[in-house]
Amino acid sequence: KAALATIRLIKKEPELIEHLSERIITLLKDRTHGVLIATIQLIIEVISVEPETKNEFKTIVPGLVRLLRNFMSIGHSPEYDVHGITDPFMQVEIIKLLGILGANDEETSDQMNDVLAQVANSTETNKVAGNAILYECVKTVMKIKSDGSLRNLAVNILGQFLLNRDNNIRYVALNSLMNVVGEDANSVQKHRGTILECLKDVDISIRQRALDLCYLLVDLNTVSQITTELLNYLVVAPVEHKSELVSRIMGIVERFAPSKKWRIDTMITMLSIAGNHCDEGTPRIAIIFIAQAEGLQGYATHKLYKCLHE
């Protein structure tokens, strides 16, 4: 109760934090889960209010690592059991705090790499509580100075989430991959097929998030496959989304087209699917490009005539 009350107090009077660190750390020696989880939440709040206190709390990392490792070794504990997983609430809070303490600190991150890998490999994915722990684990791995193999493991967990039947979990995975792709595009590319499958999902929010992620995955090697999938999606996309989708496809074509002929084929296919939903600039850009594509005007004319004829 004292720890929870202190959380409320420091939000109103941040200067009360002074000289509290040692007393807070002492609470981590308690064996009661309620005291431990309240203390961890208090430490998270203290660091968020006064970031400079983070260095004082780095000494608790080995203790947090031991605590987290204990959860994987004690087996079934009826008192704290949630669908076969021991106190997922506390596990999530510990992992969250590790992420805060390890951010931008290689030495501190090294102390937690092994236990995070252990959590990622041993937590069950067929339970909601397990997925909550894994999701927090992924966020922490991406936040700290983790090694390449651990980051790859985290992305693979998100790839597993994409195969889950629960749309909420799949949406969370797509959202997380959006944040990861800028730092580790190669690991995300391995799950490109699964991401493209999400474009066929009945849930529009899943389709839209997958679409946003697809744009970030386009490069010279993937442009043909991803553009084909985007054109397939354009056929079934809601009318109100077609204009934006066409603009994005045009952007991809302009940046990554492997050849002029491929660019003409793609633009004509796109216009034949969604011409009525394009803004005025799109056909104009297509006309200018065809006019300047020496040696391909005849090919483009025949292709356009065939589309009109059909």
Side-chain angles (χ1 to χ4, degrees):
K1 287 179 178 177
L4 291 173
T6 306
I7 292 173
R8 299 287 291 274
L9 282 168
I10 62 173
K11 285 181 178 178
K12 295 183 178 181
E13 301 291 341
E15 62 273 13
L16 293 175
I17 290 171
E18 288 183 32
H19 314 301
L20 274 179
S21 299
E22 286 186 23
R23 296 188 187 188
I24 294 171
I25 290 170
T26 304
L27 286 177
L28 288 173
K29 295 176 183 175
D30 201 294
R31 294 194 173 189
T32 311
H33 282 217
V35 174
L36 289 170
I37 198 167
T39 304
I40 291 166
Q41 289 170 339
L42 173 56
I43 294 169
I44 290 170
E45 190 60 42
V46 167
I47 295 171
S48 73
V49 174
E50 293 287 344
E52 60 271 18
T53 60
K54 179 173 150 179
N55 288 328
E56 296 176 47
F57 288 111
K58 284 182 181 178
T59 56
I60 68 173
V61 169
L64 292 174
V65 168
R66 276 195 303 274
L67 200 55
L68 193 55
R69 199 167 266 130
N70 286 342
F71 280 110
M72 287 170 277
S73 61
I74 59 176
H76 182 66
S77 176
E79 189 180 355
Y80 303 110
D81 180 81
V82 179
H83 299 297
I85 292 176
T86 305
D87 203 343
F89 303 101
M90 178 128 82
Q91 290 194 57
V92 165
E93 291 298 326
I94 292 170
I95 294 167
K96 184 177 180 181
L97 179 54
L98 286 174
I100 293 167
L101 296 172
N104 302 315
D105 187 326
E106 195 162 341
E107 187 179 340
T108 306
S109 297
D110 283 343
Q111 297 177 54
M112 59 186 79
N113 274 335
D114 287 347
V115 75
L116 290 173
Q118 201 175 340
V119 170
N121 283 313
S122 63
T123 305
E124 295 183 52
T125 57
N126 59 344
K127 296 173 181 174
V128 174
N131 285 329
I133 293 168
L134 285 171
Y135 176 55
E136 199 61 49
C137 186
V138 168
K139 288 203 294 182
T140 292
V141 167
M142 294 305 171
K143 193 183 291 184
I144 68 172
K145 297 280 186 182
S146 52
D147 57 49
S149 60
L150 187 56
R151 293 175 81 83
N152 193 42
L153 180 59
V155 174
N156 287 341
I157 289 170
L158 294 176
Q160 289 174 10
F161 280 0
L162 286 179
L163 300 171
N164 199 293
R165 284 175 157 184
D166 189 318
N167 277 2
N168 292 322
I169 292 173
R170 292 166 72 205
Y171 185 87
V172 162
L174 289 166
N175 226 20
S176 302
L177 287 168
M178 290 277 294
N179 298 326
V180 172
V181 70
E183 298 175 20
D184 195 354
N186 289 335
S187 294
V188 181
Q189 287 283 11
K190 294 174 186 174
H191 303 280
R192 188 173 70 243
T194 313
I195 294 164
L196 290 171
E197 279 297 310
C198 290
L199 290 175
K200 301 168 187 173
D201 198 274
V202 293
D203 188 324
I204 190 168
S205 60
I206 298 282
R207 293 202 306 267
Q208 195 59 40
R209 215 70 190 119
L211 199 57
D212 293 336
L213 184 53
C214 282
Y215 298 132
L216 299 177
L217 290 176
V218 178
D219 58 29
L220 291 172
N221 297 318
T222 63
V223 61
S224 295
Q225 185 190 357
I226 291 179
T227 304
T228 300
E229 290 293 340
L230 293 178
L231 290 171
N232 289 338
Y233 177 60
L234 186 59
V235 176
V236 297
V239 171
E240 63 271 19
H241 292 165
K242 289 195 175 185
S243 177
E244 183 198 353
L245 187 52
V246 165
S247 298
R248 294 222 191 178
I249 292 172
M250 284 296 284
I252 290 170
V253 167
E254 286 180 23
R255 286 180 64 197
F256 299 106
S259 68
K260 289 183 178 181
K261 182 175 178 292
W262 181 90
R263 184 171 173 177
I264 286 174
D265 286 340
T266 302
M267 285 193 298
I268 292 175
T269 302
M270 180 187 71
L271 289 167
S272 67
I273 295 170
N276 292 338
H277 305 290
C278 300
D279 59 51
E280 292 181 5
T282 302
R284 195 177 300 131
I285 291 169
I287 291 166
I288 291 170
F289 178 74
I290 291 169
Q292 295 173 346
E294 289 297 326
L296 289 171
Q297 283 98 348
Y299 172 78
T301 305
H302 281 289
K303 186 126 182 145
L304 287 164
Y305 176 77
K306 187 179 178 185
C307 288
L308 286 167
H309 195 63
E310 290 173 352

